[in-house]
Amino acid sequence: MIEFYNVNLDINRVGILRNISFRIVKGEFTFLIGPSGAGKSSIIRMIYMDVFPISGMVVVDRYSSAKIRRREISMLRRKIGVIFQDFKLLTDRSVFDNVAFSLHVVGERNKEIKRRVLKVLAEVNLSHKRNQYPDELSGGEKQRVAIARAIVNNPIIVLADEPTGNLDYASSVEIMNILERINKQGTAVLMATHDAALLKKYSHRQISIDQGVLNKK
Amino acid sequence: MIEFYNVNLDINRVGILRNISFRIVKGEFTFLIGPSGAGKSSIIRMIYMDVFPISGMVVVDRYSSAKIRRREISMLRRKIGVIFQDFKLLTDRSVFDNVAFSLHVVGERNKEIKRRVLKVLAEVNLSHKRNQYPDELSGGEKQRVAIARAIVNNPIIVLADEPTGNLDYASSVEIMNILERINKQGTAVLMATHDAALLKKYSHRQISIDQGVLNKK
Amino acid sequence: MKIWFSFIEGIRNIKRAKLASTITITSVAFAHLLIGVFLLFSVNINQIIGDVRSKIELEVFLEADLSVKSGRSVEKKIIGLEGVKDVKYISKEDAAKRFQEEFGRNIYEVLTFNPLPSSCTVKVKKGYRNYSFIKKLSTEIGRIDGVDEVKYQKQILSLIDRYITIVYAIAAAAGIILIIIAIVLLYNTIRLTIYGRKDLIDIMKLVGATKTMIKRPFIVEGFVEGLFGALIASVILYGSILLIKRYIYPYVVNAVEIYIILLISGATIGIIASGMSLVRHLKEI
Amino acid sequence: MKIWFSFIEGIRNIKRAKLASTITITSVAFAHLLIGVFLLFSVNINQIIGDVRSKIELEVFLEADLSVKSGRSVEKKIIGLEGVKDVKYISKEDAAKRFQEEFGRNIYEVLTFNPLPSSCTVKVKKGYRNYSFIKKLSTEIGRIDGVDEVKYQKQILSLIDRYITIVYAIAAAAGIILIIIAIVLLYNTIRLTIYGRKDLIDIMKLVGATKTMIKRPFIVEGFVEGLFGALIASVILYGSILLIKRYIYPYVVNAVEIYIILLISGATIGIIASGMSLVRHLKEI
Ligand SMILES: Nc1ncnc2c1ncn2[C@@H]1O[C@H](COP(=O)(O)OP(=O)(O)OP(=O)(O)O)[C@@H](O)[C@H]1O
Ligand SMILES: Nc1ncnc2c1ncn2[C@@H]1O[C@H](COP(=O)(O)OP(=O)(O)OP(=O)(O)O)[C@@H](O)[C@H]1O
Ligand SMILES: [Mg+2]
Ligand SMILES: [Mg+2]
């Protein structure tokens, strides 16, 4: 499902990742851990093909970083739900429309869009904020909108970049429950996190990186 | 130093805070805790006079929310270091210039600016990234720039809105050490946080809010 | 993505970015006001010059003692010449009548004989009303037997013809510069408004929207704003022309074609400017 | 904040927001190109009309048998009239000489006597070269004893005077519309570029910068970009005029004042547009 083969990544001629290889299979739940600046977000960006390796290869679903074409990148991204570390919400539309956008992109019918968006907003406890705009939300609420948008589409992979960084412990556990549930339904989840408490509570596989290299355990 | 007297806050006619009263004295270190959406960031915004109560009064230093004038707001803000939850970095200038900006605002001499910026960047472990732009930083690195900017000015109050949300435990402890040190030098610190581990380790006073009202302990 | 969603999005975007769309519409309106004023100006100047030219005629005085029959034959010969639109023969008697009309006295009361010569008034066809042709024509007519003298408004004609090419050249240059300026300014405006939404475009890409999906609403938006701006310009121009006609200069010419040109131009520029700006922003991935 | 820091910031901002400053400079340049073309056009049209008018003169034919002495006295009387610039007396002898020059034959060889009348050529002062005045002057001169007939280029004069007011009115209207359009478009452009930096301005406010501190660099930026844009327009115009002078129309007039007006206008509009846009964005707190 996700495979890294000897991946090296430079951005602006600065070395970010060195010789990374790992594999995540269908339906797996994996933590991505490491100190600030280690390269966790960069790994996630390579999976949704926002940046490309200077050598080595990233394979996701049936697409390879070596030969994926522009249109295919869009197709791939529709199958991946990404919770961005900085949320990346569309500031000019409401919570509802932010979440609905992913469904409009795949051409879903209006009625179905409404049903699914309301359902997922309820799951992240944001039904009452559905008509507010991102600037009118607290940090944690924005994060939950980002989560809702990432999972509304029934993706085959969810990439979660510190999805609980702005959430209290109770909310974090709720989010973890949602991620575990969609994981049970067959979705692979890769979650970058610093949250020691969560790491202790959930015993999923951990990929650990530091200064751009994989920690062998 | 910071006093809230029966403060009620509405934003866009939505009630955010109800009847909040508390007091933080000079040189105190206080945690602000509560679930997502409770109103922590809103309390911090009222302290740097970004929003105003619809009733009650906020007094900071010698300024009262009831009669502070525009120019005085700028003056007040120069004495307060704020670590914003969403960082609020100037994306069109380098890390160095972001931190230096606060010092230019108070008309500091160039040589002194250089000395102090370099010193504070070293404290947050970002000396090597000083010429990069915010878009080229990881989440945790951005957060550390925001921290550096907040403290470079030797403020009398530091308001930290989840300053460790994007940081691993080790980095969080380093940041806590910096905040504790400037607190020892007489700066009042108010820190909103979810981080259970930090709350356990540090036994400072806690102000807890939930759904816009203060929790009596 | 459903196409109708793109349309709805395009319309909604106009409301979402009120400042940007207001500015775009204002810019389109002003630029088209400029182009419209220029076009109306040209049409009117052209009309005025055409009016002056249409009044140009040659007066052909015939020899004093020429018979009516010979006069008529001169008339026929003139009609046969290239570029002649029509000829009016004025006999000695007609001239005398005219004298009576103009001066209120019968010429036979003043003099015992009629000294007025018979003459022809020659009008020239539309494309031939220029100095060099009329000069040629006048010598040609002068050579006809029985013609005494040919007169025409030499000075006005030579004046118009001396400066007309310069005026037209300058007007054409001004027109081209004007249109280029309008396009560049509009393109810049739309580019800036789209640049202001760069973050949103980037986010759309990240959640799997293809280029077409991102582009289409902007194109719709450009079309609507362009058309609307041009419409505002047209209404202002039309109103102004009516006012000018009424209070300042009743002969001012209004041409419907100009308004059609403006509307088409507004919509087209809106679409093209949006499209081009997007190409720049969508270049990377 | 130190003032020099504001200046350095202003200059740096131009580099920081390359797209925005390029667009602003282009817009200023184009808008001023427009204004410049209009000004040069007006100056030249004015020059052409002035040229035509300066050639207007009255020919005063004196009575056939008037003595040179009486002729000279008529000349003096004409000089005394209002609006007359100078009068040239042409005696019968002078006229004969002219005839010789023009037709290459001595008139006394053709005829036994000199039938040419003596005459005066009257030039009119600058402000008086219009149809209604010259008509009045001609009747006045006609009443002087010894004057037989007064001739002047009635048709050209009446043509110019009939249309000149319309042309001037249209030109003035076009000029005003042009300048308003230039200002609105520029204002919009600068407003959009500043709006694009709204987030940055908000952040500056949050870290304690006062309004003045935020404004000053933008004003510097507006000044520099405005001046630079106007400079580009001036260079293009100046170059075009030189080319036109050389290859198309050598009598084209170039006025230094226009370039000075353009540069001042560029800098001023830059400052005003920045200032006004900022007021809007800085309104809240
Ligand atoms: N555009 C860029 N140019 C230069 N360096 C960059 C760029 N983007 C990221 N980096 C650097 O790459 C390194 C890894 O960044 P990344 O965002 O992957 O870290 P991270 O593990 O997600 O950290 P965090 O936990 O703080 O979010 C960082 O040191 C960062 O400064
Ligand atoms: N502009 C606004 N309009 C309407 N509601 C708002 C606005 N800003 C904030 N709110 C609401 O006020 C409540 C408190 O927000 P605040 O940001 O203070 O919460 P918080 O305690 O900081 O939460 P978090 O831990 O998630 O950052 C939230 O429910 C939020 O939706
Ligand atoms: Mg990261
Ligand atoms: Mg908050």
Side-chain angles (χ1 to χ4, degrees):
Chain A
M1 177 119 294
I2 303 174
E3 285 150 280
F4 276 57
Y5 296 104
N6 301 316
V7 168
N8 285 292
L9 174 68
D10 279 17
I11 301 183
N12 301 336
R13 307 236 169 106
V14 183
I16 309 283
L17 293 172
R18 280 292 156 260
N19 205 31
I20 303 280
S21 296
F22 65 86
R23 166 188 299 230
I24 293 172
V25 299
K26 197 155 177 287
E28 203 177 356
F29 197 125
T30 316
F31 284 123
L32 184 58
I33 59 171
S36 170
K40 302 182 293 299
S41 300
S42 304
I43 286 181
I44 289 179
R45 286 177 73 193
M46 294 180 85
I47 297 172
Y48 61 85
M49 306 276 175
D50 190 30
V51 286
F52 293 88
I54 53 159
S55 71
M57 189 165 73
V58 177
V59 179
V60 182
D61 195 19
R62 48 203 182 75
Y63 302 105
S64 154
S65 63
K67 34 184 209 258
I68 192 165
R69 274 171 297 136
R70 283 190 183 183
R71 251 200 101 73
E72 295 175 331
I73 292 178
S74 302
M75 295 306 138
L76 173 62
R77 286 179 184 169
R78 295 185 202 173
K79 299 193 208 167
I80 303 181
V82 187
I83 301 157
F84 300 94
Q85 193 169 8
D86 51 357
F87 318 142
K88 297 204 192 296
L89 301 178
L90 299 163
T91 51
D92 64 355
R93 54 200 84 193
S94 69
V95 167
F96 183 97
D97 289 341
N98 260 283
V99 178
F101 191 79
S102 313
L103 293 172
H104 280 299
V105 162
V106 295
E108 197 55 79
R109 277 179 311 114
N110 252 22
K111 226 176 119 186
E112 177 68 8
I113 288 178
K114 188 158 184 190
R115 196 185 64 75
R116 293 219 332 237
V117 172
L118 291 180
K119 182 164 160 274
V120 75
L121 284 180
E123 282 180 13
V124 297
N125 284 324
L126 276 182
S127 302
H128 56 301
K129 302 270 174 188
R130 66 173 170 280
N131 293 321
Q132 288 191 0
Y133 284 75
D135 287 342
E136 303 170 354
L137 300 178
S138 80
E141 285 161 355
K142 281 184 212 164
Q143 195 154 47
R144 283 179 280 158
V145 178
I147 293 166
R149 182 181 60 190
I151 63 176
V152 71
N153 218 356
N154 295 327
I156 59 168
I157 302 172
V158 169
L159 305 173
D161 201 349
E162 307 196 24
T164 60
N166 285 276
L167 298 177
D168 52 299
Y169 185 70
S171 308
S172 302
V173 170
E174 272 175 46
I175 296 302
M176 281 305 291
N177 290 342
I178 298 172
L179 292 178
E180 292 234 295
R181 205 187 57 242
I182 64 166
N183 174 245
K184 292 254 160 59
Q185 288 158 14
T187 301
V189 178
L190 177 65
M191 171 169 161
T193 188
H194 295 125
D195 195 326
L198 288 185
L199 290 173
K200 207 180 283 174
K201 185 165 174 340
Y202 298 90
S203 58
H204 300 298
R205 170 183 167 207
Q206 297 184 357
I207 294 177
S208 159
I209 60 166
D210 197 353
Q211 294 187 33
V213 293
L214 225 63
N215 278 337
K216 306 277 175 222
K217 287 201 243 190
Chain B
M1 179 120 288
I2 303 174
E3 285 150 281
F4 275 57
Y5 297 104
N6 301 315
V7 168
N8 285 290
L9 174 69
D10 280 17
I11 301 183
N12 300 336
R13 306 232 172 108
V14 183
I16 310 281
L17 294 172
R18 279 292 157 261
N19 205 31
I20 303 280
S21 296
F22 66 84
R23 166 186 299 229
I24 293 171
V25 300
K26 196 156 179 287
E28 204 176 356
F29 197 124
T30 316
F31 284 122
L32 185 56
I33 60 172
S36 172
K40 302 181 293 298
S41 300
S42 304
I43 286 182
I44 289 179
R45 285 176 74 192
M46 294 179 85
I47 298 173
Y48 62 85
M49 307 276 174
D50 190 30
V51 288
F52 293 88
I54 53 157
S55 72
M57 189 166 72
V58 178
V59 179
V60 182
D61 194 19
R62 47 202 183 73
Y63 302 104
S64 153
S65 63
K67 34 182 209 260
I68 192 165
R69 277 171 294 137
R70 282 190 183 181
R71 251 201 101 72
E72 294 174 332
I73 293 178
S74 302
M75 295 304 137
L76 173 62
R77 287 178 183 169
R78 296 186 203 172
K79 298 192 210 168
I80 303 181
V82 186
I83 301 157
F84 301 94
Q85 193 169 7
D86 52 356
F87 317 141
K88 296 203 192 297
L89 301 178
L90 300 162
T91 50
D92 63 355
R93 55 201 83 194
S94 69
V95 167
F96 184 96
D97 289 340
N98 261 282
V99 178
F101 191 78
S102 312
L103 293 172
H104 280 300
V105 162
V106 295
E108 197 57 78
R109 278 179 309 115
N110 253 21
K111 226 175 121 186
E112 178 68 7
I113 289 179
K114 187 155 186 191
R115 196 184 63 76
R116 294 218 333 235
V117 172
L118 291 180
K119 182 163 159 275
V120 75
L121 284 179
E123 281 179 15
V124 296
N125 283 326
L126 275 182
S127 302
H128 57 301
K129 302 269 175 190
R130 66 174 170 277
N131 292 323
Q132 288 192 1
Y133 284 74
D135 287 342
E136 304 170 351
L137 299 179
S138 80
E141 285 161 354
K142 280 184 212 164
Q143 195 154 45
R144 283 179 278 156
V145 178
I147 293 165
R149 182 181 61 189
I151 64 176
V152 70
N153 217 356
N154 294 328
I156 60 169
I157 302 172
V158 168
L159 304 173
D161 200 349
E162 306 196 24
T164 60
N166 285 277
L167 297 178
D168 51 301
Y169 186 70
S171 309
S172 302
V173 170
E174 271 176 46
I175 296 302
M176 281 305 292
N177 290 342
I178 298 171
L179 291 179
E180 293 235 295
R181 205 187 57 241
I182 65 166
N183 174 246
K184 292 254 160 58
Q185 288 158 15
T187 302
V189 178
L190 177 64
M191 172 169 161
T193 188
H194 295 124
D195 195 326
L198 287 186
L199 290 173
K200 205 179 285 173
K201 184 165 172 349
Y202 297 89
S203 57
H204 300 298
R205 171 182 167 208
Q206 298 184 358
I207 295 177
S208 159
I209 62 167
D210 197 354
Q211 295 189 31
V213 293
L214 226 62
N215 278 337
K216 304 280 174 219
K217 284 202 238 180
Chain C
M1 192 181 301
K2 301 273 168 55
I3 287 198
W4 62 258
F5 179 69
S6 298
F7 281 91
I8 295 178
E9 276 284 287
I11 308 295
R12 275 198 199 145
N13 280 344
I14 296 174
K15 264 203 285 177
R16 280 190 189 125
K18 275 204 200 73
L19 176 71
S21 22
T22 313
I23 287 183
T24 306
I25 292 172
T26 326
S27 296
V28 176
F30 271 99
H32 283 77
L33 210 54
L34 203 66
I35 297 176
V37 166
F38 173 74
L39 290 177
L40 281 168
F41 189 80
S42 306
V43 167
N44 276 284
I45 288 286
N46 224 19
Q47 176 75 17
I48 289 175
I49 290 172
D51 278 0
V52 171
R53 289 212 154 136
S54 74
K55 280 179 194 137
I56 297 289
E57 36 183 45
L58 293 93
E59 265 189 291
V60 180
F61 295 100
L62 304 181
E63 275 162 13
D65 47 3
L66 205 71
S67 70
V68 171
K69 208 183 139 208
S70 313
R72 289 286 179 190
S73 105
V74 171
E75 183 187 4
K76 269 201 196 106
K77 277 187 198 145
I78 296 176
I79 284 188
L81 294 175
E82 192 203 345
V84 172
K85 193 178 159 199
D86 67 45
V87 183
K88 213 171 129 198
Y89 174 71
I90 296 159
S91 65
K92 285 175 84 78
E93 285 312 305
D94 293 333
K97 260 182 230 151
R98 259 206 208 168
F99 184 87
Q100 167 111 28
E101 274 163 27
E102 267 177 53
F103 301 97
R105 297 183 67 179
N106 191 323
I107 195 157
Y108 298 103
E109 285 172 15
V110 184
L111 294 164
T112 53
F113 67 101
N114 178 354
L116 301 171
S118 60
S119 65
C120 291
T121 312
V122 180
K123 285 205 169 135
V124 175
K125 280 188 192 154
K126 213 167 180 187
Y128 296 90
R129 291 167 186 159
N130 58 66
Y131 183 56
S132 63
F133 177 78
I134 288 182
K135 197 172 160 190
K136 216 184 78 201
L137 184 65
S138 106
T139 35
E140 232 171 296
I141 294 175
R143 271 198 229 106
I144 295 171
D145 274 349
V147 170
D148 181 28
E149 199 191 357
V150 184
K151 272 193 177 174
Y152 61 95
Q153 286 147 305
K154 216 172 193 163
Q155 290 170 329
I156 293 185
L157 252 182
S158 75
L159 181 78
I160 290 181
D161 279 17
R162 181 143 24 114
Y163 292 113
I164 198 75
T165 12
I166 299 168
V167 171
Y168 276 155
I170 296 179
I176 291 170
I177 292 175
L178 221 73
I179 289 170
I180 292 177
I181 289 176
I183 291 178
V184 170
L185 289 182
L186 272 189
Y187 171 60
N188 281 350
T189 307
I190 293 187
R191 209 167 136 207
L192 274 176
T193 64
I194 289 182
Y195 186 78
R197 290 187 251 174
K198 188 181 180 317
D199 289 351
L200 303 177
I201 292 177
D202 287 342
I203 294 172
M204 290 179 186
K205 281 193 246 169
L206 289 183
V207 300
T210 56
K211 274 193 188 187
T212 332
M213 289 177 187
I214 298 172
K215 260 186 189 172
R216 234 189 266 130
F218 280 102
I219 303 284
V220 172
E221 196 185 333
F223 171 79
V224 173
E225 291 175 355
L227 195 64
F228 193 60
L231 191 69
I232 293 177
S234 300
V235 170
I236 293 176
L237 277 178
Y238 196 84
S240 312
I241 290 287
L242 288 188
L243 287 178
I244 290 176
K245 217 186 196 93
R246 180 139 193 181
Y247 296 109
I248 302 175
Y249 179 63
Y251 309 111
V252 70
V253 181
N254 206 355
V256 190
E257 295 88 335
I258 288 180
Y259 301 103
I260 296 173
I261 291 176
L262 289 185
L263 292 181
I264 293 176
S265 148
T268 315
I269 290 183
I271 291 175
I272 292 178
S274 294
M276 275 169 43
S277 310
L278 283 167
V279 168
R280 293 202 149 228
H281 290 306
L282 290 174
K283 232 179 1 210
E284 330 86 59
I285 302 207
Chain D
M1 193 182 299
K2 301 273 169 56
I3 287 198
W4 62 258
F5 179 68
S6 299
F7 280 91
I8 295 178
E9 276 283 288
I11 308 294
R12 274 198 201 147
N13 279 345
I14 297 175
K15 263 203 286 178
R16 281 189 189 125
K18 275 203 200 72
L19 175 71
S21 20
T22 313
I23 287 183
T24 307
I25 292 172
T26 326
S27 296
V28 175
F30 271 99
H32 283 78
L33 210 53
L34 203 65
I35 298 177
V37 167
F38 173 74
L39 290 177
L40 280 168
F41 189 79
S42 306
V43 167
N44 275 284
I45 288 286
N46 223 18
Q47 176 76 18
I48 289 174
I49 291 173
D51 277 1
V52 171
R53 289 210 154 136
S54 73
K55 280 178 195 139
I56 298 287
E57 38 185 42
L58 295 91
E59 266 189 290
V60 178
F61 295 99
L62 304 180
E63 276 163 10
D65 48 3
L66 205 70
S67 70
V68 172
K69 210 182 136 206
S70 312
R72 288 288 178 188
S73 104
V74 169
E75 182 188 6
K76 265 193 200 116
K77 278 185 197 148
I78 295 176
I79 286 187
L81 293 174
E82 193 203 344
V84 172
K85 193 178 159 199
D86 68 44
V87 183
K88 212 170 131 198
Y89 174 72
I90 296 159
S91 65
K92 286 174 85 78
E93 285 311 306
D94 294 334
K97 259 183 230 152
R98 259 207 209 169
F99 183 88
Q100 166 110 30
E101 274 164 27
E102 266 178 53
F103 300 98
R105 295 184 67 180
N106 191 324
I107 196 156
Y108 296 105
E109 285 172 13
V110 184
L111 296 164
T112 53
F113 65 102
N114 178 353
L116 302 171
S118 59
S119 65
C120 291
T121 312
V122 180
K123 284 199 171 142
V124 175
K125 280 187 193 153
K126 213 165 182 189
Y128 296 89
R129 291 167 186 161
N130 59 66
Y131 182 56
S132 63
F133 177 79
I134 287 181
K135 199 172 160 190
K136 218 186 75 200
L137 184 66
S138 104
T139 36
E140 232 171 297
I141 293 174
R143 271 196 231 107
I144 295 171
D145 274 350
V147 171
D148 181 27
E149 198 191 359
V150 184
K151 274 192 177 175
Y152 60 94
Q153 287 146 307
K154 218 171 190 162
Q155 292 170 326
I156 293 184
L157 252 183
S158 76
L159 182 80
I160 290 180
D161 278 18
R162 183 148 17 119
Y163 291 112
I164 197 73
T165 11
I166 299 167
V167 170
Y168 276 155
I170 296 179
I176 291 170
I177 291 175
L178 222 74
I179 288 170
I180 292 177
I181 289 176
I183 291 178
V184 171
L185 290 181
L186 272 189
Y187 171 61
N188 282 350
T189 306
I190 293 188
R191 210 167 134 205
L192 274 176
T193 64
I194 289 182
Y195 186 77
R197 289 188 252 172
K198 188 181 179 315
D199 289 351
L200 302 178
I201 292 177
D202 286 342
I203 294 173
M204 289 180 188
K205 280 194 245 171
L206 289 182
V207 300
T210 57
K211 273 193 187 188
T212 332
M213 288 177 188
I214 296 170
K215 261 186 189 172
R216 235 188 266 131
F218 280 101
I219 302 283
V220 172
E221 196 184 332
F223 171 80
V224 173
E225 290 174 356
L227 196 65
F228 192 59
L231 192 69
I232 292 177
S234 300
V235 169
I236 293 176
L237 277 178
Y238 195 84
S240 313
I241 290 286
L242 287 189
L243 286 178
I244 291 176
K245 215 184 198 99
R246 179 137 194 182
Y247 296 109
I248 303 174
Y249 179 63
Y251 309 111
V252 71
V253 181
N254 206 355
V256 190
E257 295 86 337
I258 289 179
Y259 301 103
I260 296 173
I261 291 176
L262 289 184
L263 292 181
I264 294 176
S265 148
T268 316
I269 290 181
I271 291 175
I272 292 176
S274 294
M276 276 170 41
S277 311
L278 283 167
V279 167
R280 294 201 150 229
H281 291 305
L282 291 173
K283 231 182 359 210
E284 330 86 59
I285 302 204

